[in-house]
Amino acid sequence: MDKRASINETRSDIICKVANVLREERATATNIESAVDKAGINREAVATTFGSMHGLILEMVSDLSSAAIQPLEDHPDEQTVRDVLIEFGRRLVNIYCVSHLVALYRIALTEATRHSGIGREFFDRGPGRIAICLAQYLEYSSRRFDQWRMDNPRRVADSFLSLLGDQIELFDAITPARTLSASDQSNAVVDAVELVCRGIATEGQ
């Protein structure tokens, strides 16, 4: 195994083990050091691989945002905009419901309140990146398809993400997010997409 492959394997192993801990501590996680210790990872290994604990947090949220935006970047030409948005929405909601994303948000918020400087970069690599990528996809769709003409793709992107967030928060109030059925998640996404589609159709009239 060459050096690069070994580094990538170590990186993936650390992220996987820490992610498993964070999934279990979804609602109570407040610091990455505790998760690293519980995962049985040497802190020096984290520093060597990611530069710091903050580096680990940023790499983990980058991986999740990359997974979320994949449908927006790799969609086939024949796939409709509606279907791309549904696929993206389902993936994003699923990541929220079953991954370690919520725990990372809690940790990043705690770190930000300590004035550690992680807040801005965490946002840029996580929710900010997702919003920008969605807006870019909508702008591309607006240029390509007459029925998807819109004046402000970024505003539409923000509205769509807010709708998804509202749906998730509603479900959280009823039942823990991780117990949501796939059908409930899918229906929430489809409802949000339909609202956005109707809004764009009205805007284009």
Side-chain angles (χ1 to χ4, degrees), residues 12 32 43 62 72 85 87 101-102 108 116-117 126 144 149-150 152 154 174 201 205:
S12 298
I32 194 67
R43 295 191 183 188
S62 293
L72 302 174
L85 291 179
E87 185 180 349
L101 180 61
V102 171
S116 63
R144 187 177 181 196
R149 299 288 182 197
M150 62 194 86
N152 192 330
R154 181 57 190 262
I174 298 171
Q205 290 178 354

Side-chain angles (χ1 to χ4, degrees), residues 1-200:
M1 182 183 297
D2 62 29
K3 184 176 181 180
R4 178 174 295 180
S6 178
I7 292 173
N8 288 338
E9 182 175 321
T10 300
R11 175 188 181 279
S12 298
D13 184 60
I14 292 174
I15 287 177
C16 181
K17 288 179 179 178
V18 175
N20 287 337
V21 172
L22 292 179
R23 276 192 290 272
E24 292 302 314
E25 298 188 349
R26 174 187 176 90
T28 59
T30 56
N31 69 83
I32 194 67
E33 291 84 0
S34 174
V36 167
D37 293 342
K38 290 178 180 178
I41 305 295
N42 186 297
R43 295 191 183 188
E44 290 184 3
V46 172
T48 299
T49 306
F50 301 96
S52 65
M53 290 291 176
H54 284 179
L56 172 59
I57 295 171
L58 295 173
E59 284 296 296
M60 293 181 79
V61 77
S62 293
D63 282 358
L64 289 174
S65 63
S66 292
I69 65 178
Q70 187 270 332
L72 302 174
E73 296 184 328
D74 299 335
H75 56 89
D77 288 340
E78 65 273 14
Q79 193 173 19
T80 67
V81 175
R82 179 181 181 277
D83 286 345
V84 170
L85 291 179
I86 289 175
E87 185 180 349
F88 161 73
R90 284 173 175 164
R91 183 171 296 214
L92 185 60
V93 169
N94 183 65
I95 287 172
Y96 175 90
C97 290
V98 304
S99 80
H100 47 288
L101 180 61
V102 171
L104 283 176
Y105 278 0
R106 290 176 59 85
I107 289 171
L109 181 61
T110 301
E111 292 293 323
T113 61
R114 294 173 181 165
H115 308 289
S116 63
I118 194 176
R120 179 75 254 176
E121 191 168 0
F122 183 91
F123 177 83
D124 289 342
R125 292 201 189 191
R129 180 186 179 197
I130 291 171
I132 289 173
C133 188
L134 177 57
Q136 289 172 340
Y137 173 75
L138 291 173
E139 183 177 2
Y140 157 81
S141 301
S142 179
R143 294 196 307 266
R144 187 177 181 196
F145 305 107
D146 290 340
Q147 67 270 32
W148 282 89
R149 299 288 182 197
M150 62 194 86
D151 294 332
N152 192 330
R154 181 57 190 262
R155 178 176 55 79
V156 175
D158 289 343
S159 296
F160 180 51
L161 293 173
S162 294
L163 285 170
L164 289 179
D166 289 344
Q167 292 281 16
I168 293 170
E169 289 179 7
L170 174 62
F171 282 127
D172 271 347
I174 298 171
T175 184
R178 69 175 64 193
T179 66
L180 286 179
S181 69
S183 177
D184 285 339
Q185 292 179 30
S186 180
N187 290 338
V189 171
V190 171
D191 287 346
V193 171
E194 294 299 343
L195 282 171
V196 168
C197 289
R198 286 199 292 270
I200 292 173

